[in-house]
Amino acid sequence: SEYKSDIYGERCILLGAVHGMTEALFRRYTRQGMDPEEAFKQSVESITGNISKTISTKGMLTVYNQLDDAGKKIFEEAYAASFKPAMDVCIEIYEDVASGNEIRSVVQAGSRFGRFPMGKIDGTYMWKVGAEVRAKRDEANIPLNPFTAGVYCATMMATIEVLREKGHPYSEICNESIIEAVDSLNPYMHARGVAFMVDNCSYTARLGSRKWAPRFDYILEQQAFVDIDEGRVIDKEAFTKFLNDPVHDALATCSTMRPSVDISVGGAGDNTGVGAGQARTEFRSVSAS
């Protein structure tokens, strides 16, 4: 059970989904007229900053409840439009993991490293903008974008729902869908960007994230965002279920065991929190020896 939830979670909200989602959101915001730095703040920084910190300490419902009325409406629409498309990909990932197909693809990819090394994933314009944003960051003024929050929470809940349908216990569900995301992994992206988060993980996770991030990017842009922009009737029931989902109580129970301190990861040029347990600080592109 645990190995399935672990490999599945990496490809969903922990790594792959959050990477794909942020790329889709950044493009959306720049098309809407935001300057690139503001678009990065409203997408990536919003997730790794306020959204993650709020979920970590107060739960997902607080992300929604602290919004004003206009923000709540935006959150509701983004959540309702994003949940089903995200779950579509999540189910496919779980079935590929459970059948052994996903690990088979990892093994096959490793055998190709000699010809096709694993490339870096933070060389595009968006992530270069992110480096500039981080250099000027004011932690006290990181925005909580309600649209970003709705998309993120919907994808997190889709990750949760599949695990629940497949019979996993809430301890696993909370860890592989929520706690590892907001307390362990998002802080790495907050510190130095997406490659620093993904490429300090195992080869299995790194390959899975690269494989599935584009699928989340595609399905959110092609389905969820289009439905919102065209004013289509969306699944309001999904949002109602979110408000009353038992996972909120399960996370509250888990949170009673949360350490009193947060993970500490240094920014560019600062190795604080990096290297424990021989975590990689470089981005190797060859098969592990």
Side-chain angles (χ1 to χ4, degrees):
S1 173
E2 199 280 333
Y3 88 87
K4 292 178 185 176
S5 63
D6 181 69
I7 296 169
Y8 162 82
E10 295 165 351
R11 285 145 177 79
C12 296
I13 197 62
L14 301 186
L15 296 172
V18 72
H19 181 189
M21 175 194 314
T22 54
E23 300 247 358
L25 288 167
F26 178 82
R27 289 195 308 275
R28 178 177 178 82
Y29 294 151
T30 54
R31 283 198 303 267
Q32 290 176 339
M34 286 187 195
D35 71 75
E37 289 195 9
E38 187 61 26
F40 192 89
K41 291 176 185 177
Q42 297 292 339
S43 53
V44 180
E45 293 278 287
S46 187
I47 289 171
T48 62
N50 269 332
I51 293 171
S52 288
K53 290 175 182 177
T54 301
I55 293 173
S56 173
T57 57
K58 299 176 182 178
M60 270 185 284
L61 286 178
T62 303
V63 175
Y64 171 75
N65 288 332
Q66 68 184 341
L67 298 169
D68 60 20
D69 288 345
K72 286 179 178 177
K73 185 175 187 300
I74 293 169
F75 181 105
E76 291 170 18
E77 291 178 348
Y79 184 99
S82 301
F83 177 79
K84 189 173 181 179
M87 193 166 172
D88 184 359
V89 180
C90 288
I91 289 174
E92 182 180 351
I93 292 170
Y94 190 94
E95 291 178 349
D96 275 7
V97 170
S99 68
N101 287 342
E102 188 65 21
I103 289 300
R104 187 175 298 111
S105 75
V106 169
V107 173
Q108 290 170 337
S111 70
R112 296 191 297 268
F113 278 171
R115 292 183 64 199
F116 305 105
M118 205 187 310
K120 286 191 68 174
I121 54 175
D122 63 353
T124 59
Y125 176 67
M126 169 185 173
W127 299 104
K128 290 177 180 177
V129 169
E132 297 173 5
V133 170
R134 290 192 296 275
K136 298 181 284 188
R137 177 189 287 149
D138 179 356
E139 290 282 354
N141 289 310
I142 295 175
L144 198 168
N145 183 290
F147 189 90
T148 297
V151 175
Y152 185 77
C153 289
T155 307
M156 180 171 276
M157 288 300 298
T159 305
I160 288 166
E161 183 60 28
V162 172
L163 288 175
R164 183 162 49 201
E165 283 187 4
K166 300 299 183 179
H168 291 262
Y170 271 110
S171 57
E172 272 183 40
I173 291 171
C174 289
N175 187 55
E176 300 294 350
S177 304
I178 309 171
I179 297 169
E180 281 196 27
V182 299
D183 288 330
S184 299
L185 292 166
N186 286 352
Y188 276 77
M189 182 156 61
H190 194 64
R192 302 194 202 177
V194 68
F196 191 65
M197 175 183 71
V198 172
D199 288 332
N200 267 295
C201 296
S202 68
Y203 277 88
T204 302
R206 296 168 74 189
L207 287 165
S209 181
R210 283 165 167 81
K211 177 180 176 181
W212 291 99
R215 290 290 304 280
F216 283 101
D217 180 338
Y218 176 88
I219 205 163
L220 290 170
E221 172 132 23
Q222 296 290 334
Q223 294 187 22
F225 298 172
V226 170
D227 283 348
I228 290 170
D229 293 341
E230 296 189 355
R232 293 175 185 161
V233 176
I234 51 181
D235 186 6
K236 299 285 187 178
E237 184 181 353
F239 179 72
T240 302
K241 288 181 178 178
F242 165 71
L243 294 177
N244 301 294
D245 198 287
V247 78
H248 302 306
D249 290 336
L251 180 62
T253 299
C254 292
S255 295
T256 63
M257 296 173 275
R258 185 186 187 278
S260 59
V261 296
D262 297 329
I263 187 172
S264 178
V265 184
D270 180 354
N271 281 335
T272 300
V274 180
Q278 298 183 337
R280 290 187 300 276
T281 57
E282 82 285 3
F283 307 113
R284 293 169 55 198
S285 296
V286 295
S287 181
S289 58

